[in-house]
Amino acid sequence: MNIRESELPGIGKKFEVFTKNKDKMVIIIHDNGRRELYYFEQDNYEDYVASAAFDDAEARQIAAIIGGMTYKPRALETIEIAFDELVIEWFKVERSAKAANQSIGQLNVRQSFDVNIIAIVKKNHQVIHTPGPETIIEEGDTLIVSGERTQVKNMVKELLAGRGS
């Protein structure tokens, strides 16, 4: 599969997807969250033959279906055994959360919860990949974390949820 990404100034991003079967799809993600999907026949990449538009919630629901979150093909069952409890999830740091204004090192996330923070999306949309122990977590940041399901849940409850939640 080949994917080409391009900016659409004032609109959002465009992704052209060419599958190994030579199908072409174009996905446009608007800055307001709207998604458009266009499908082209193999012998004519200029004129689309089908299209659909989705709001953000619909697009995420469809992504979950395509990604196998609602149905697991039998062929993937053996792969999932190795990753049965491993999850990668996104969580927003709530107001008055224990983690707010603390560094990853101060919170001792890896040692206390056996969870890794693999990225942080700051409020200004800056992305910090593989943040170090000195990285400060702020209210409103979105943390991308990986670990076993129960450990991630415990870390979120103790560190990211607002006090009194």
Side-chain angles (χ1 to χ4, degrees):
M1 184 162 50
N2 183 17
I3 301 173
R4 291 190 294 204
E5 178 181 337
S6 57
E7 292 284 333
L8 298 174
I11 297 171
K13 285 199 177 203
K14 174 181 169 182
F15 297 87
E16 290 182 280
V17 180
F18 297 90
T19 68
K20 64 181 175 182
N21 293 333
K22 306 282 189 250
D23 290 319
K24 176 185 175 184
M25 291 178 288
V26 172
I27 302 162
I28 297 175
I29 303 177
H30 293 259
D31 291 335
N32 67 3
R34 183 171 173 233
R35 310 314 199 272
E36 295 174 9
L37 174 66
Y38 298 91
Y39 175 76
F40 299 78
E41 289 185 330
Q42 295 172 358
D43 59 346
N44 181 1
Y45 286 165
E46 297 302 315
D47 299 315
Y48 64 89
V49 293
S51 68
F54 310 99
D55 66 22
D56 185 66
E58 292 169 327
R60 291 179 186 278
Q61 200 168 14
I62 290 168
I65 292 167
I66 292 172
M69 294 178 75
T70 59
Y71 170 73
K72 174 181 50 180
R74 291 184 191 266
L76 298 179
E77 286 179 355
T78 55
I79 294 171
E80 193 164 299
I81 291 170
F83 299 105
D84 189 32
E85 287 296 312
L86 177 68
V87 294
I88 297 174
E89 299 209 21
W90 298 53
F91 294 99
K92 191 169 195 168
V93 180
E94 296 179 5
R95 183 183 309 172
S96 74
K98 182 177 178 181
N101 302 314
Q102 302 248 4
S103 72
I104 293 173
Q106 288 172 311
L107 294 168
N108 211 19
V109 172
R110 187 176 291 163
Q111 293 78 11
S112 297
F113 299 96
D114 201 22
V115 168
N116 291 305
I117 298 174
I118 56 178
I120 299 175
V121 180
K122 303 300 271 179
K123 288 184 281 191
N124 65 1
H125 304 290
Q126 172 197 7
V127 179
I128 302 171
H129 298 280
T130 59
E134 73 288 347
T135 304
I136 302 294
I137 297 170
E138 299 173 308
E139 178 184 310
D141 287 352
T142 299
L143 276 56
I144 297 88
V145 299
S146 68
E148 288 189 10
R149 190 175 313 278
T150 55
Q151 293 162 325
V152 168
K153 184 178 177 181
N154 290 339
M155 190 272 300
V156 168
K157 183 178 176 183
E158 188 169 324
L159 299 181
L160 305 182
R163 296 180 187 137
S165 294

